[in-house]
Amino acid sequence: MSWQHSVPRITEDERQLRLSKLRQGIEGEGLAGVLLGPTESLRYFTGLVWHPSERFLGALVTPSAISYIVPGFERSRVETLPHLPGEILLWEEEESSAALISRLVGQGGRLALDDGLPLYFYHALAAAMGAERLADGGRLIRGLRRIKSAAEIALIQYAMNLTLDVHKQVHALLKPGIRSSEVVDFIDRQHRQAGADDGSTFAIVSFGAATSLPHGADGDQVLGPSDVILVDTGCRIDGYHSDITRTYMLEGGDREFERAWRIEREAQQAVFDAARIGAACASLDDAARKVLAKHSLGPDYRLPGLPHRAGHGLGLEIHEEPYIVRGNDTALAAGMCFSNEPMIVFPEKFGIRLEDHITMTEDGPRWFTDPAAGPTEPFA
């Protein structure tokens, strides 16, 4: 059964509401408009999905209109793709898209830029308009995107459920002698079969000492009978990501690993318990590190310990705001979604990452997927 029968796509009405909020921000900051590039923000506000290239394609949003800036020969393609209604304005191969945008904005006013725009296009706009008339649109755009609607959360939940089921299939597949490449291929096939947008968005499969490298090791690996196993993978459903990690052993009895696994799970739970409406994102990272320090790990980013932030936001991008990291005073609010993954690394021995995601509700945090049960029981 296709996922569309279980969870609906983002509607045009919801995109119009997002656009309305963006326009409120434009007017509130006294801007002439916001320029969206070929990024996930273009998809978020307009529904148009476009992969970036050297030819600019995007949308200019003003308080009264939305105009698509399109290479002339791509018009027929754009017209066939889902997007909110708006005028399609063309630029030809010998023309400058930056000059077209400058004419549309006019002589006065500042233009806020999608923070995903490439640097070369910023320079083209600065030459056409003057750098003093360009503003960073990231704060406005990200402030809207980091609060997920019920429809977005439903899509993320569906994607998480799908990936968790793939994890369970991987657990049943694993046996000594299997190659990590076989597992990666299996994960992709299962994601595709389950209806993910394009199979796996990524898959990290690490055995033994390779698990101490947070993003995996180069080359193929063969699973040994007493190896630690780390599997981190995800997919997309209507553009929205899943991302789940499990670390375990096939058989028990390794006391060092089992003790470390329980510390990791304690740190993960501490992050969850610290997640309260109004709490600073940094306080969740602090909570994880306090657990590790209690067990003589770290402190700070020292190893053995936690070498990176405790989590990241997730939505149309697999890493987006809010970031669960030291120094981030962003207050948690209902609708925020983020990972909880305070990995513990023991260099050249093994690493343990348990990654589940949280959505903030008015009543506090809620797991997208239940945390792992034990060192040899990766599922609740």
Side-chain angles (χ1 to χ4, degrees):
M1 179 182 292
S2 171
W3 63 263
Q4 289 95 334
H5 296 290
S6 301
V7 57
R9 289 181 178 273
I10 302 299
T11 65
E12 182 171 314
D13 285 346
E14 179 161 336
R15 294 198 197 280
Q16 291 285 10
L17 178 60
R18 296 171 180 178
L19 209 57
S20 175
K21 292 178 179 178
L22 181 61
R23 286 184 170 128
Q24 290 173 19
I26 290 171
E27 293 180 326
E29 297 189 17
L31 298 167
V34 170
L35 182 67
L36 303 173
T39 66
E40 294 299 341
S41 292
L42 179 68
R43 179 178 191 156
Y44 178 82
F45 289 106
T46 75
L48 180 60
V49 178
W50 197 265
H51 298 292
S53 74
E54 76 281 8
R55 295 181 178 93
F56 179 80
L57 186 147
L60 175 64
V61 180
T62 68
S64 60
I66 177 169
S67 302
Y68 296 96
I69 314 301
V70 176
F73 72 97
E74 298 284 19
R75 176 171 190 153
S76 58
R77 172 65 175 152
V78 170
E79 288 175 335
T80 67
L81 295 173
H83 61 276
L84 291 184
E87 186 177 9
I88 296 178
L89 301 176
L90 306 178
W91 61 278
E92 301 299 348
E93 290 284 71
E94 78 279 7
E95 296 176 332
S96 165
S97 55
L100 171 58
I101 293 163
S102 179
R103 290 195 299 273
L104 291 170
V105 175
Q107 294 300 312
R110 293 181 306 136
L111 178 64
L113 304 182
D114 184 338
D115 59 347
L117 282 173
L119 182 59
Y120 74 82
F121 196 70
Y122 168 84
H123 286 309
L125 285 168
M129 298 181 58
E132 70 281 358
R133 294 182 58 203
L134 302 178
D136 179 9
R139 182 176 56 83
L140 175 57
I141 291 169
R142 299 290 172 175
L144 295 173
R145 283 185 51 186
R146 72 187 176 205
I147 304 298
K148 299 325 192 257
S149 69
E152 290 178 285
I153 290 170
L155 284 163
I156 295 170
Q157 184 67 71
Y158 189 94
M160 293 289 187
N161 292 348
L162 191 157
T163 292
L164 185 63
D165 185 64
V166 171
H167 265 286
K168 292 176 179 179
Q169 294 177 62
V170 169
H171 181 245
L173 174 76
L174 289 171
K175 60 183 182 300
I178 196 168
R179 292 186 173 276
S180 58
S181 59
E182 294 177 66
V183 183
V184 169
D185 289 344
F186 176 82
I187 290 170
D188 184 65
R189 290 197 307 273
Q190 298 311 115
H191 271 137
R192 289 179 187 277
Q193 185 174 324
D197 289 356
D198 294 296
S200 302
T201 50
F202 72 99
I204 299 169
V205 177
S206 299
F207 304 142
T211 62
S212 67
L213 302 173
H215 286 158
D218 291 334
D220 210 355
Q221 303 158 47
V222 178
L223 179 61
S226 58
D227 279 347
V228 175
I229 299 161
L230 186 152
V231 180
D232 182 359
T233 188
C235 70
R236 297 180 89 177
I237 294 293
D238 200 19
Y240 286 85
H241 284 272
S242 63
D243 182 11
I244 301 173
T245 309
R246 290 291 182 264
T247 307
Y248 50 89
M249 296 182 74
L250 295 180
E251 296 183 4
D254 187 320
R255 292 185 178 179
E256 182 183 17
F257 171 76
E258 291 178 359
R259 176 180 178 273
W261 191 98
R262 291 190 173 91
I263 295 171
E264 164 72 359
R265 178 68 192 91
E266 183 182 349
Q268 189 192 36
Q269 189 63 41
V271 171
F272 182 87
D273 293 341
R276 293 290 177 265
I277 296 295
C281 288
S283 68
L284 280 62
D285 188 271
D286 291 343
R289 294 182 196 280
K290 286 179 183 177
V291 170
L292 270 58
K294 181 180 72 174
H295 293 283
S296 301
L297 296 169
D300 302 320
Y301 297 101
R302 297 177 198 169
L303 301 181
L306 170 54
H308 53 63
R309 65 195 174 209
H312 59 82
L314 163 141
L316 286 172
E317 293 172 278
I318 196 165
H319 291 172
E320 61 178 49
E321 293 188 14
Y323 292 102
I324 308 305
V325 64
R326 177 176 291 176
N328 185 3
D329 60 2
T330 299
L332 294 181
M336 289 183 176
C337 301
F338 52 89
S339 72
N340 180 352
E341 48 176 322
M343 182 178 191
I344 304 177
V345 169
F346 298 84
E348 300 180 6
K349 296 177 69 175
F350 60 84
I352 304 173
R353 181 164 66 248
L354 302 176
E355 180 185 15
D356 297 277
H357 285 245
I358 292 169
T359 179
M360 295 302 299
T361 75
E362 295 290 355
D363 298 322
R366 178 181 70 79
W367 293 108
F368 276 104
T369 50
D370 291 330
T376 60
E377 300 173 87
F379 312 106

